[in-house]
């Protein structure tokens, strides 16, 4: 009897291991990392010359994305995957005015999975990058003429959108949400594509349940740290993320605002999460190449994203919450005013899309919609001028800020 008991125990143990193993591999197989690698390999290839916003090379990337949407059964809205928009940028870092700049055209790529549901989940990432360094936003010492392939920033996130589009359209399930897959143009020049899309969306904004943004998810490091921003934009996110089964160390940040496209959704009071594997020395440099992508790490990140989405199936519509201002590590200054610029504003000055609670601007009475035209002795022609001027001040400085509100000029004192 003792021998038989041990035998039965071993059989049960082996069956248990088999179930666990099958469960694990069945889950991991949700993501086809070979397809992810294929997407990044094309998007970050020299053939696309860095996918500069509004360039013919960005159009090649857009065509690739639209073709893949069609291949996996993701449909266009209003008969086209392409959502064009126009914009202007400063001609150089020395001439920051956009008044006489040529009109440029960007192109968002949008696909729809219609599950006949009342609510829609947006899954997005920007696909543009720095091209050959002509838009003076590279961190390379002498960038012009050098291809900035942007494998991590943000071919990795774009590939994530394409893979999730494939997964949700071919998994033989009908989810309780529709899915809107958007690859944004113009993010690198100031969230222009997401801002433009939300100003003229294909669906009613009230039907957007929440937004998932993926920006730089391809360089998971040895600490296995995944940063998730926006957990404060809805009361359910923290507990939901705590229930995720993953080998990743998930660092949660409450902020809804930040230097990526989820901020545009946050400003429209749509709950949003942003997934990010961290800063690295190749950020905005020609060295951001596919050879440095951690594909196994990206697979794990995408499995986390899938779990997050699938765990929301039984929730009612997400409640939106306002959050604090973030630091996503992409840009830092000695001081901050706590404002969100309207990067699409083409007039003189810097119009504000948002003001963070408790920050210097809000304490001084500055409001959303104000147009800042001068800080101290320095004129503010646009966002780039504002960013340069910030470097001239230190914490605790008391400065005069001249702004226009309701077509009237006024001066407020701001303690930085």
């Amino acid at each position: 009897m003792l021998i038989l008991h041990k035998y039965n125990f071993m059989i049960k143990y082996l069956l248990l291991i088999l179930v666990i193993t099958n469960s694990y591999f069945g889950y991991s197989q949700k993501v086809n990392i070979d397809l992810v690698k294929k997407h990044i390999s094309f998007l970050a290839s020299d053939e696309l010359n860095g996918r500069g916003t509004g360039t013919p090379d960005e159009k090649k990337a857009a065509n690739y994305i639209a073709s893949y949407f069609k291949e996996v059964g993701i449909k266009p809205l209003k008969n086209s995957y392409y959502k064009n928009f126009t914009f202007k940028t400063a001609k150089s870092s020395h001439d920051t005015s956009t008044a006489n700049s040529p009109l440029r055209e960007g192109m968002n790529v949008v696909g729809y999975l219609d599950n006949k549901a009342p609510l829609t989940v947006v899954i997005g990432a920007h696909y543009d990058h720095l091209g050959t360094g002509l838009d003076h936003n590279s961190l390379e010492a002498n960038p012009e003429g050098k291809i900035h392939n942007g494998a991590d920033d943000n071919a990795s996130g774009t590939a994530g959108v394409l893979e999730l589009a494939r997964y949700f359209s071919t998994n033989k399930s009908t989810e309780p949400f529709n899915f809107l897959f958007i690859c944004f143009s113009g993010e690198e020049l100031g969230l222009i594509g997401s801002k433009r899309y939300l100003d003229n969306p294909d669906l009613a904004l009230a039907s957007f349940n929440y937004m998932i943004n993926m920006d730089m998810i391809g360089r998971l490091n040895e600490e296995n740290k995944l940063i998730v921003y926006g957990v404060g934009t809805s009361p359910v996110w923290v507990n939901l993320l705590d229930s995720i089964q993953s080998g990743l160390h998930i660092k949660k940040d409450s902020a809804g605002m930040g230097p990526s496209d989820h901020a545009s959704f946050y400003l429209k009071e749509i709950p949003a999460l942003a997934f990010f594997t961290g800063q690295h020395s190749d950020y905005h440099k020609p060295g951001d190449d596919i050879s440095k992508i951690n594909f196994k790490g990206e697979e794990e990140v995408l499995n986390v994203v899938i779990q997050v989405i699938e765990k929301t199936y039984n929730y009612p519509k997400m409640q939106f919450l306002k959050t604090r201002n973030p630091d996503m590590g992409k840009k830092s200054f000695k001081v901050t005013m706590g404002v969100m610029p309207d990067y699409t504003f083409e007039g003189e000055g810097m119009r504000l899309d948002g003001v963070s609670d408790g920050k210097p601007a809000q304490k001084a009475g500055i409001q959303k919609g104000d147009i800042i035209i001068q800080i101290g002795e320095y004129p503010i022609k646009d966002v780039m001028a504002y960013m340069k001027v910030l470097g001239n001040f230190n914490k605790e400085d008391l400065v005069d800020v001249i702004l226009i509100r309701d077509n009237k000029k006024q001066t407020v004192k701001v303690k930085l």
Side-chain angles (χ1 to χ4, degrees), residues 119 177 209 236 239-240 243 311-318:
L119 297 176
F177 306 127
N209 193 18
V236 307
N239 289 337
L240 189 152
S243 71
K311 283 179 177 290
T312 64
Y313 289 172
N314 296 322
Y315 285 90
K317 184 177 181 181
M318 292 288 180

Side-chain angles (χ1 to χ4, degrees), residues 219-270:
R219 295 283 287 267
L220 189 73
N221 63 22
E222 62 277 0
E223 297 177 348
N224 284 334
K225 182 172 70 174
L226 171 64
I227 306 167
V228 183
Y229 295 94
V231 302
T233 62
S234 186
V236 307
W237 289 134
V238 170
N239 289 337
L240 189 152
L241 283 163
D242 286 343
S243 71
I244 295 296
Q245 296 180 357
S246 172
L248 303 184
H249 170 57
I250 300 177
K251 179 183 177 182
K252 300 183 289 292
D253 191 293
S254 65
M257 291 173 68
S260 192
D261 292 304
H262 63 287
S264 297
F265 287 79
Y266 171 78
L267 289 169
K268 294 293 186 180
E269 300 192 349
I270 297 167

Side-chain angles (χ1 to χ4, degrees), residues 71-89:
E71 179 182 332
V72 298
I74 301 299
K75 305 294 185 182
L77 281 166
K78 299 180 181 177
N79 301 315
S80 179
Y81 291 108
Y82 306 113
K83 311 297 176 184
N84 295 358
F85 59 90
T86 58
F87 65 98
K88 291 182 179 181
T89 56

Side-chain angles (χ1 to χ4, degrees), residues 300-313:
E300 294 185 62
V301 171
L302 292 176
N303 278 328
V304 168
V305 175
I306 289 172
Q307 283 192 72
V308 168
I309 294 169
E310 291 181 342
K311 283 179 177 290
T312 64
Y313 289 172

Side-chain angles (χ1 to χ4, degrees), residues 30 35 39 65 68-75 111-113 123 157-171 175 179-183 214 302 306 309:
K30 286 183 175 181
L35 289 175
H39 300 321
I65 293 164
Y68 193 74
F69 280 164
K70 183 176 181 181
E71 179 182 332
V72 298
I74 301 299
K75 305 294 185 182
Y112 188 55
L113 178 59
I123 300 176
T158 304
V161 172
L162 296 180
E163 176 56 12
L164 294 183
R166 181 203 65 81
Y167 171 73
F168 284 110
S169 64
T170 62
N171 62 359
E175 294 80 15
F179 289 98
L180 194 64
F181 299 96
I182 312 181
C183 294
M214 293 174 285
L302 292 176
I306 289 172
I309 294 169

